Amino acid sequence: MSMSTSAEQQPGAVRRKWSRLSLANQFAVVGGLVLLAGALAVGLWVARQIERGVVLNSANATALYVDSFISPLTRELETNDELSIGPIRALDEALRESPLGRRLVSVRSGVKTGRLSTATTMSSLGAGLSPPHVSKRI
């Protein structure tokens, strides 16, 4: 029974303590809570922006690296719709036997017509080239 009376008295005790504080102290307590909430919100927003920036910069750097690795092997796509067997074998070997190839999920290259001319999986050759799905988080 003493627990219920102390629980009932707590709201009144908080009010009494609050009313005993000077107006300046009340302002300081409320202002501190508002500043804490604002700092938390801004901190979460900044963290999200940093994460997006890091992911985007990493993706851009990886794309440039892969482009510099694959671009020389696919130069003949500028004039032809398909690669000859030499560049196809070189791409296959480079992507299967290199650390880069083990880390890449898929490599696709298309021509102006939108038809897939080079891919890491031979079954997808000649298919339509559609942009990959981008993560909604990015």
Side-chain angles (χ1 to χ4, degrees):
M1 198 139 139
S2 63
M3 286 180 56
S4 65
T5 56
S6 65
E8 291 171 5
Q9 291 174 354
Q10 280 183 345
V14 170
R15 283 191 195 137
R16 280 193 302 272
K17 286 182 182 180
W18 182 256
S19 63
R20 287 183 193 158
L21 292 175
S22 69
L23 191 56
N25 286 340
Q26 289 177 0
F27 179 79
V29 169
V30 171
L33 292 174
V34 168
L35 285 174
L36 183 65
L40 180 64
V42 169
L44 289 172
W45 179 79
V46 167
R48 191 172 302 126
Q49 294 302 317
I50 290 171
E51 181 182 356
R52 285 181 181 169
V54 167
V55 168
L56 185 61
N57 287 337
S58 296
N60 286 337
T62 302
L64 285 172
Y65 177 69
V66 170
D67 184 54
S68 69
F69 183 32
I70 293 175
S71 182
L73 298 173
T74 58
R75 292 262 185 229
E76 70 181 56
L77 287 177
E78 293 173 359
T79 56
N80 299 333
D81 285 346
E82 294 182 6
L83 288 175
S84 60
I85 194 68
I88 289 176
R89 285 187 179 163
L91 277 171
D92 189 48
E93 183 179 317
L95 292 175
R96 293 194 193 281
E97 298 177 9
S98 70
L100 174 65
R102 287 190 282 275
R103 298 200 65 182
L104 291 176
V105 175
S106 173
V107 175
R108 302 181 321 169
S109 176
V111 291
K112 293 177 186 173
T113 61
R115 196 170 58 83
L116 192 60
S117 62
T118 308
T120 51
T121 56
M122 291 300 195
S123 61
S124 60
L125 284 177
L129 182 61
S130 61
H133 298 287
V134 178
S135 172
K136 290 184 181 183
R137 188 171 176 182
I138 294 177

